[in-house]
Amino acid sequence: MATRDHLIGLLLGAEEDWPQAFEQILRFVGPLDVDGTTHQIASERLTIEPFDLTDPVRTGLVIDRLAHWYFHPREWLKKASLVDGTYLLNSPFTFQSYEKHAAYCAMLRLGLKVPKTILVPYKNPVDNHRWTYTSARYNRPFDLDLLAAELGYPLYMKPFDGGGWRGVSRIEGPDDLHRAYDESGEMLMHLQATVDYEHFARALSIGPETMVMDFRPEQPMHHRYAVSHDFLSPSAGHQAAAISRIVNAFFGWEFNSAEMLVAGDEVYPIDYANACPDVSVTSLHYYFPWAITALVRWSAYCLVSGRPSNVDLETGRYFEIADSDRSYDEKLDAYLALADARFETERYAEWCDTHLGHLPELVAQWVAGADFDRLLVETVRATYPVQEHEQFLAHFRGLIGLWVSDQG
């Protein structure tokens, strides 16, 4: 029987918890016999160094957690994709769309229920010698209070490019409005209408897999993800999962999280472009084993099945649906069909059943054991003050234990 070796590259920053978990779960995959070939998959943590544009790339797939802010590895990823055909999670060619503004515009074009949003000019001059002349000649004066009144209070002011809740303000009235705008400085800001919502849903999508979670943004990070099953109606749950995958398929992203406000059966996407979605054990806790296992499954599937790297977004097919006379639900289902085709959802599910059916039990045993507990202890000690270690260890052990129990 022929053999083939595959290598996954991890392009990392300061994270340590999920990479350790990924490496361990990948070891559980073992040799896979597929269509007469034995496939072996390994991973390595990539280093940053000078590279010749013709240097061969050993890694068949790269999971990137760094290039959204670090340009050198970003350009290496582009080279790896264009010259060597390396499969990327995620593609750096659409990083501009990770700025929330482009994502809002695209989803508005598809008819999704994005709250009314207005982009306002910089409060302070940008650091460019041409600013004074350009602004004096072409920047038109505007009435900030009038724009806010058009949206209605309360509203939100937030940077057009997002980023870890940086610069986000809830605006209750004119005083808040002017204070937040004055403090925005050189950040380019959106004003966005709020929605009277019942649930704040956060969906993490990895390839065709999606987990919709009950998210509480007002809580500290270790309490934000509530372990709450069926917290949405069937219709809202379907929409939330569909929107997350549709966004990813539209932009060519395969590892991304989406945030939505939900009122009854109405789903309003408000943030769905995250170059580095949160997968820390100290925030995801209960959902952490699923997330890392899904990341291993999708990586293995892409490599072993020979899924080609595809940077052609084919957005015109989505716009044809958007411009049709179908209802909102019919359009959403049609978009989802395009997304499922891009992610090979049916084939992927069958492939995982056939070749990775052993993985869930091995992951559950590992998460219940001493090795995972050591990872958890290391992460808590690195994250929280000494006097809070025992408190948080008990908190996360309880949630992880609940996940293990729910696996049966």
Side-chain angles (χ1 to χ4, degrees), residues 13-75:
E15 300 161 298
E16 187 59 36
D17 54 350
W18 80 260
Q20 286 190 59
F22 182 93
E23 290 158 350
Q24 177 58 59
I25 294 174
L26 185 62
R27 286 192 281 271
F28 292 145
V29 169
L32 299 177
D33 295 332
V34 181
D35 298 331
T37 300
T38 298
H39 297 263
Q40 302 201 71
I41 310 173
S43 67
E44 71 175 18
R45 302 188 184 196
L46 300 178
T47 54
I48 298 162
E49 51 198 280
F51 63 91
D52 186 310
L53 272 61
T54 61
D55 285 343
V57 173
R58 297 168 53 241
T59 47
L61 181 147
V62 175
I63 299 173
D64 165 47
R65 303 285 288 180
L66 195 59
H68 61 291
W69 65 269
Y70 198 170
F71 292 170
H72 185 280
R74 177 188 299 187
E75 300 314 304

Side-chain angles (χ1 to χ4, degrees), residues 276-351:
C276 196
D278 178 22
V279 285
S280 170
V281 68
T282 53
S283 51
L284 287 188
H285 45 75
Y286 178 92
Y287 299 102
F288 179 80
W290 164 80
I292 308 307
T293 304
L295 192 55
V296 168
R297 275 194 293 255
W298 180 241
S299 300
Y301 171 79
C302 291
L303 285 171
V304 176
S305 71
R307 177 177 165 84
S309 178
N310 185 4
V311 297
D312 184 355
L313 300 181
E314 300 178 310
T315 54
R317 296 185 302 160
Y318 290 85
F319 295 151
E320 288 175 7
I321 296 168
D323 294 339
S324 72
D325 59 1
R326 305 183 205 191
S327 69
Y328 177 79
D329 288 340
E330 289 170 339
K331 288 181 180 180
L332 199 67
D333 287 342
Y335 298 144
L336 183 57
L338 293 180
D340 283 337
R342 184 178 183 94
F343 292 126
E344 303 173 359
T345 300
E346 186 174 343
R347 181 187 179 205
Y348 168 75
E350 293 174 353
W351 191 91

Side-chain angles (χ1 to χ4, degrees), residues 96-227:
Q96 185 70 21
S97 298
Y98 274 122
E99 294 175 348
K100 311 308 180 193
H101 183 80
Y104 284 154
C105 293
M107 294 305 105
L108 281 168
R109 176 71 171 83
L110 298 191
L112 299 189
K113 300 171 183 177
V114 179
K116 186 174 177 61
T117 305
I118 298 172
L119 185 72
V120 295
Y122 297 100
K123 170 63 180 179
N124 294 343
V126 296
D127 185 16
N128 189 299
H129 71 279
R130 293 164 289 193
W131 163 267
T132 302
Y133 177 86
T134 302
S135 62
R137 184 162 186 176
Y138 296 111
N139 280 22
R140 297 184 63 182
F142 68 97
D143 188 330
L144 185 65
D145 291 289
L146 190 62
L147 295 178
E150 181 181 337
L151 295 174
Y153 292 107
L155 57 91
Y156 282 88
M157 183 182 293
K158 51 188 178 180
F160 86 111
D161 54 351
W165 296 80
R166 166 183 57 89
V168 177
S169 300
R170 180 179 171 90
I171 307 299
E172 300 288 352
D175 290 345
D176 289 345
L177 176 71
H178 288 277
R179 184 184 308 110
Y181 188 52
D182 289 345
E183 292 172 354
S184 68
E186 291 185 17
M187 290 189 291
L188 189 59
M189 306 300 279
H190 277 138
L191 302 179
Q192 188 171 75
T194 191
V195 172
D196 290 329
Y197 65 94
E198 298 162 5
H199 297 285
F200 191 123
R202 191 168 198 174
L204 177 60
S205 286
I206 300 169
E209 298 195 47
T210 298
M211 182 69 71
V212 180
M213 296 167 282
D214 190 355
F215 192 68
R216 300 170 298 184
E218 74 282 356
Q219 294 288 328
M221 185 55 75
H222 64 281
H223 272 313
R224 286 186 182 172
Y225 292 92
V227 180

Side-chain angles (χ1 to χ4, degrees), residues 381-400:
R381 287 176 176 172
T383 306
Y384 301 103
V386 173
Q387 65 272 19
E388 297 179 356
H389 287 176
E390 290 306 314
Q391 168 194 343
F392 282 108
L393 276 174
H395 174 75
F396 294 122
R397 279 170 173 160
L399 289 164
I400 293 296

